[in-house]
Amino acid sequence: MDKLTEEMYELECSHLHPEVRVSAEKLGDVLDDEFFEFGSSGGVIKRSHYSEDDTLSPDPMEIKFFSLHELGPAARLTTYQLINQKTGRVTNRSSVWKKRQNGWKLFFHQGTVSTDEVFQ
């Protein structure tokens, strides 16, 4: 794994840590001001929806099949499969990260419920 791929993998992992998922402040450090998401529930979620603590489940998560794709000099797409280790729920994930003055920020995210390991 090259250095940038490692960095982007760590960024994806950073917002999966239980202590980040339950903290609006820590989650806000990861999210871009313009962040929005197409959730696995089918809803559209904006950054403002994460203004309260305990917004996300603190369940332990595992990333599999991580991949990084360049979209331009200051934008990257990550794709992976996420397994909720408590419930067994599998989702396919994609994120668009933008390079900002204060580092990489999560600009867009999508989760789609899956029953297969489609990334194999």
Side-chain angles (χ1 to χ4, degrees):
M1 194 180 292
D2 65 46
K3 186 177 179 175
L4 183 57
T5 302
E6 272 186 53
E7 179 182 0
M8 300 309 292
Y9 177 81
E10 290 302 320
L11 285 168
E12 284 292 353
C13 289
S14 73
H15 66 91
L16 298 175
H17 293 298
E19 66 273 9
V20 174
R21 294 177 67 82
V22 298
S23 168
E25 180 181 350
K26 289 179 181 179
L27 196 57
D29 291 342
V30 176
L31 303 180
D32 191 75
D33 290 342
E34 300 174 45
F35 172 82
F36 69 105
E37 172 179 356
F38 296 152
S40 58
S41 65
V44 177
I45 304 157
K46 296 183 178 184
R47 188 181 198 282
S48 60
H49 293 121
Y50 294 118
S51 61
E52 304 281 328
D53 286 344
D54 299 317
T55 304
L56 295 171
S57 163
D59 291 351
M61 305 286 184
E62 177 188 5
I63 289 178
K64 293 175 74 175
F65 312 114
F66 181 84
S67 187
L68 178 66
H69 313 271
E70 183 176 346
L71 298 178
R76 298 293 185 274
L77 169 69
T78 60
T79 57
Y80 56 95
Q81 195 165 71
L82 189 68
I83 295 98
N84 181 315
Q85 293 178 321
K86 182 177 178 182
T87 66
R89 184 177 187 202
V90 177
T91 51
N92 297 322
R93 302 289 175 133
S94 61
S95 300
V96 175
W97 293 84
K98 286 190 173 185
K99 182 77 168 182
R100 302 296 194 194
Q101 287 184 351
N102 56 346
W104 290 98
K105 298 294 179 182
L106 184 54
F107 174 75
F108 171 78
H109 185 73
Q110 180 168 0
T112 304
V113 176
S114 177
T115 56
D116 299 351
E117 292 187 343
V118 297
F119 284 93
Q120 287 186 351

